[in-house]
Amino acid sequence: MRPSVTLLVASRYFRTRRRETGNTSSILSVVGTAVGVMALTVVLAVMNGFQLGFIEPLVEISSYHLQVSRNGPAGGGNGPAEPAFVKRIRGLPSVTAVVPFVERQALVEGPFQRPRACQLRAVPPDLFALDPVQAAMLAPREGSFDLSGPRSLVIGAELAAVAGVRVGDSLSLTSFAAGPDGRPVPRKAEFRVTGVFRTGYWDFDIGLVFVSLATADEVFGSGSPLPRTYGVKIANRFLDGQVLRKIAPLLSGTGYSVESWRTYNKSFFDALFMEKLMMMVLVGLIFIVVGFNVFHSLRRSVHERMEEIAVLKAVGVPPGRVQAIFVLEGFLIGLAGALSGLLAGLGVAMNVNAVFAGVDAVINGLTHAVYALASVFAHGGSEGSFAMFSPAYFYLSQVPSRVFPQEAFLVCFFAVLACTGAAWAASRAVSRFRPAEVLRNE
Amino acid sequence: MNEQMKSALRDPLVSVRSLARRFPTGAEYLEVLTDVNLEVPRGTTVAITGESGCGKSTLLALIGGLDRPTAGSVYVGETEVTGLEESGLSRYRSRDVGFIFQFHFLLKDFTALENVIIPGMLASASARLLRERGRALLEEVGLEKRMNAWPVELSGGERQRVAVARALINEPLLLLADEPTGNLDERNARVVEDMLFSLVEKHSRTMIIVTHDHGLARSADTRFSLSGGMLRGE
């Protein structure tokens, strides 16, 4: 095998520098990189957790991954008779569910509340069997998701609270139906609450009720079935474009069209994306600091090894390969920092609530000690209770956290890139001087 | 030996023509070499003597491609060294030239054997063959028991012998020795000198040696003196 002078020298320098000098600057470089990677991993994980708390309910409950409708989303349809294309869509390999639904604005009125606006969604009674992912999000906290009985209704937990209803109670729902002359007329009906759900998404918990399609047809259909829209779920919602291109030809000539989840709430999703991007950029600035640290560390290393660099060049090692020795060292610093930072970041991200609880305990312990000390000299006051994250302020019981492997890889990649780039910049001097200049001075 | 081979051996391996080198010293220039001309036939040894600071090492650095001249040219074989780009210079230093410096300039983080084989790693296709050659050279310079010693564990004479082995690893056409015994005591200096000349003869190498040591210079086939930026025969 052809021997590599670059690998031999770089690996020896990497080891011996530590042995000889303790190499504080290189250790700091590794630690700095690790802290940067850890911080960015945790920030992205928590941000993903919060953002997915919005995105997933919207995509899984509201918009579905794709919607097939006659006149745009939640538009017209042909009533309960299922069009032929629905069966063909169900047969596509990546499609996991096709759910017919009807959506209406409505007013809900409980015993202790004035009418309040809500979204009325009529779905098949076997929704949970058709779409298990949606079922997991709508898992009832009280009662069951039972729409099989006449005038059954499942309601969001917050809406149930403000309406003052529980499972078994009645409430009235008002919506519009087409009158005899085709103009909308209000229809009001009493419903019995069979289940209360909590998605964790405030807008749904305060503003969404479910009834069965049959009930909706009966109450608001004016004698004829309401037009259906078909929500389509696919195995990977990010491959929506591929499936959309397969569905579109099936709808040719039917008067229906298909749209992706990306087109609904587009401005909201764009805002979330921008928020995340800006946060990544801001936290990613730490890599500039890391880069400077590596730059100075390796520039000092180049300066200290000038004589050896001159000797290597004198015996014929090309400047590029000599520079590669230092670039490789920067790469190794970046890799060591990125891997250790990633491990630490994953550890924190997966236990973020325990970490917060630990910080809370430390701060509260310190506060308690200060108040105890102060009480020796004065009476009164209270020690309070510090909490970094409190459900009292957020509509969440815990800090959500979600790590995406591709993002973690990207963070590590940029960390290694910053270190390698800094090493390259620091070692550019290697190719500039002539060996005689250094060896003459020695 | 036929006439063609004899003629080839008579051809100069090194031709230095009107070589000049000056160094900036503030607003002025220090003229170290003004007009150096030299021809070194293949398989011969040349010694260049002169006072300290007269430019001996500078001349050696220019012939070895470690520095670039202000004017003039250096040919080694068919190669115009002074016209080479940086990559060509690296190749030239790796394949055609072996350096021995006054200060051994061994890499302190590498063993004696590793120091010897590092220049060979650029040219060799086999790590095993390279190590074998490195061991053989260290045996030739009498360091068969010190192959895995670190430079700091070697004496001055031993370090310089490692440097000699390193210079020969790529079987260069030309050996350039800059005060190879200048940093050694009398006994070690003679050991290194004898070893150097016997290896040059054994491997049929051409050598240019610059030295203060007139005893060492007398061992060379041809001697020159450098003064006033020019070479004169002795």
Side-chain angles (χ1 to χ4, degrees):
Chain A
M1 196 175 75
R2 190 184 179 88
S4 167
V5 69
T6 308
L7 274 180
L8 172 71
V9 179
S11 60
R12 189 62 55 84
Y13 279 5
F14 193 66
R15 273 187 286 159
T16 53
R17 280 221 300 158
R18 272 138 199 82
R19 197 172 60 215
E20 283 170 5
T21 62
N23 198 27
T24 312
S25 58
S26 279
I27 290 170
L28 280 176
S29 301
V30 172
V31 170
T33 310
V35 169
V37 170
M38 186 188 78
L40 206 46
T41 305
V42 173
V43 165
L44 283 177
V46 172
M47 192 156 238
N48 285 338
F50 276 112
Q51 291 197 346
L52 288 173
F54 296 122
I55 294 170
E56 287 189 335
L58 281 173
V59 172
E60 299 298 338
I61 297 172
S62 177
S63 72
Y64 291 81
H65 300 166
L66 298 158
Q67 269 189 33
V68 178
S69 56
R70 182 176 284 276
N71 295 314
N78 286 336
E82 198 169 83
F85 63 76
V86 174
K87 192 177 178 184
R88 285 197 270 172
I89 292 172
R90 279 202 183 99
L92 291 173
S94 45
V95 171
T96 56
V98 180
V99 179
F101 68 90
V102 171
E103 199 162 57
R104 288 289 171 95
Q105 297 293 319
L107 290 172
V108 63
E109 194 174 359
F112 308 119
Q113 184 215 16
R114 292 191 303 178
R116 184 183 176 95
C118 71
Q119 195 80 16
L120 168 67
R121 186 166 272 221
V123 293
D126 59 347
L127 174 71
F128 275 28
L130 287 173
D131 186 357
V133 178
Q134 189 173 179
M137 292 191 153
L138 292 171
R141 299 298 168 98
E142 203 182 325
S144 62
F145 199 92
D146 178 14
L147 301 176
S148 56
R151 306 283 173 98
S152 297
L153 177 142
V154 177
I155 187 170
E158 299 298 333
L159 186 56
V162 296
V165 294
R166 304 188 66 174
V167 171
D169 293 345
S170 292
L171 53 68
S172 66
L173 211 58
T174 307
S175 188
F176 288 94
D181 57 354
R183 298 176 68 180
V185 292
R187 291 268 170 83
K188 186 173 183 179
E190 288 288 317
F191 289 83
R192 189 176 61 84
V193 176
T194 57
V196 176
F197 66 83
R198 184 186 290 279
T199 62
Y201 184 56
W202 172 262
D203 286 355
F204 288 168
D205 292 347
I206 192 70
L208 190 59
V209 295
F210 287 91
V211 297
S212 70
L213 282 167
T215 301
D217 287 341
E218 177 207 333
V219 177
F220 305 112
S222 304
S224 62
L226 292 164
R228 267 53 164 167
T229 297
Y230 296 90
V232 180
K233 291 285 182 72
I234 55 180
N236 181 353
R237 72 167 186 265
F238 296 102
L239 300 180
D240 54 322
Q242 290 178 17
V243 184
L244 192 138
R245 281 191 292 277
K246 286 179 188 168
I247 291 177
L250 304 179
L251 305 177
S252 177
T254 63
Y256 282 82
S257 62
V258 59
E259 281 186 289
S260 157
W261 63 274
R262 294 176 201 270
T263 54
Y264 307 113
N265 304 297
K266 186 175 185 307
S267 57
F268 179 58
F269 289 156
D270 285 351
L272 290 181
F273 175 74
M274 279 307 296
E275 183 187 43
K276 188 167 161 182
L277 191 67
M278 289 312 296
M279 187 62 85
M280 271 181 84
V281 169
L282 290 174
V283 180
L285 289 178
I286 197 169
F287 289 136
I288 293 178
V289 180
V290 167
F292 270 110
N293 201 356
V294 172
F295 177 82
H296 283 293
S297 166
L298 286 175
R299 209 161 77 146
R300 205 176 72 175
S301 175
V302 167
H303 184 72
E304 286 169 355
R305 293 188 181 277
M306 209 53 117
E307 177 195 305
E308 292 171 56
I309 292 165
V311 173
L312 286 169
K313 289 176 82 171
V315 300
V317 181
R321 289 214 200 173
V322 179
Q323 190 178 5
I325 290 165
F326 294 93
V327 173
L328 193 59
E329 187 169 354
F331 173 80
L332 289 175
I333 287 172
L335 194 65
L339 291 179
S340 51
L342 181 65
L343 283 177
L346 290 177
V348 173
M350 288 171 178
N351 300 285
V352 68
N353 290 291
V355 172
F356 278 16
V359 173
D360 291 349
V362 169
I363 292 176
N364 286 324
L366 287 173
T367 314
H368 184 78
V370 168
Y371 273 99
L373 196 64
S375 66
V376 173
F377 304 102
H379 295 288
S382 74
E383 60 194 66
S385 178
F386 175 79
M388 289 183 73
F389 179 85
S390 168
Y393 308 120
F394 301 93
Y395 186 65
L396 291 165
S397 57
Q398 288 191 317
V399 179
S401 169
R402 189 89 71 91
V403 177
F404 289 142
Q406 63 270 34
E407 283 179 0
F409 171 79
L410 210 61
V411 169
C412 291
F413 173 76
F414 277 112
V416 174
L417 190 70
C419 293
T420 310
W424 174 81
S427 58
R428 274 189 310 165
V430 164
S431 56
R432 288 201 203 111
F433 72 88
R434 295 173 190 164
E437 292 169 17
V438 176
L439 299 178
R440 187 188 304 122
N441 292 335
E442 296 295 333
Chain B
M1 191 179 290
N2 62 32
E3 279 305 310
Q4 199 177 2
M5 286 182 71
K6 284 178 183 171
S7 164
L9 285 175
R10 278 198 301 273
D11 285 344
L13 175 69
V14 181
S15 295
V16 177
R17 296 170 194 166
S18 307
L19 199 67
R21 179 70 169 108
R22 63 182 187 181
F23 295 97
T25 53
E28 296 185 343
Y29 286 95
L30 175 66
E31 305 277 352
V32 176
L33 302 176
T34 52
D35 184 17
V36 173
N37 291 282
L38 172 70
E39 293 210 332
V40 182
R42 289 173 193 273
T44 63
T45 54
V46 168
I48 298 169
T49 56
E51 292 174 359
S52 291
C54 70
K56 303 187 296 293
S57 298
T58 301
L59 174 59
L60 217 58
L62 291 171
I63 295 171
L66 299 181
D67 198 3
R68 290 192 186 272
T70 312
S73 59
V74 174
Y75 282 85
V76 173
E78 301 298 314
T79 308
E80 187 190 354
V81 177
T82 42
L84 291 172
E85 295 292 316
E86 198 57 46
S87 59
L89 273 179
S90 293
R91 215 166 20 250
Y92 163 72
R93 291 195 293 256
S94 166
R95 291 179 187 170
D96 299 338
V97 188
F99 283 99
I100 303 159
F101 301 98
Q102 177 178 359
F103 303 101
H104 54 84
F105 285 136
L106 298 183
L107 303 172
K108 62 181 169 28
D109 297 321
F110 297 85
T111 63
L113 180 60
E114 287 169 338
N115 265 286
V116 171
I117 66 173
I118 278 175
M121 293 174 90
L122 299 161
S124 176
S126 162
R128 187 180 59 79
L129 291 176
L130 183 63
R131 291 186 90 82
E132 279 175 14
R133 176 157 172 72
R135 285 195 190 97
L137 278 169
L138 283 172
E139 280 174 20
E140 280 194 69
V141 298
L143 291 175
E144 60 275 9
K145 291 181 179 168
R146 308 287 282 153
M147 288 186 188
N148 295 316
W150 301 97
V152 73
E153 297 166 348
L154 298 170
S155 69
E158 287 174 328
R159 287 176 200 168
Q160 202 60 316
R161 282 189 273 162
V162 174
V164 171
R166 179 177 66 184
L168 289 166
I169 188 75
N170 284 336
E171 300 179 347
L173 297 170
L174 178 64
L175 269 180
L176 299 173
D178 186 358
E179 301 275 13
T181 59
N183 219 25
L184 303 176
D185 59 46
E186 184 61 27
R187 192 182 67 81
N188 270 310
R190 295 287 80 84
V191 170
V192 169
E193 178 189 333
D194 292 344
M195 187 199 68
L196 188 57
F197 277 93
S198 69
L199 280 172
V200 165
E201 191 176 349
K202 181 182 170 188
H203 293 275
S204 304
R205 300 290 159 224
T206 306
M207 179 166 72
I208 301 174
I209 190 164
V210 300
T211 180
H212 279 113
D213 184 342
H214 287 279
L216 176 62
R218 273 194 293 277
S219 302
D221 300 327
T222 317
R223 289 176 294 282
F224 293 93
S225 167
L226 182 64
S227 68
M230 289 189 287
L231 275 181
R232 292 178 181 81
E234 285 189 349

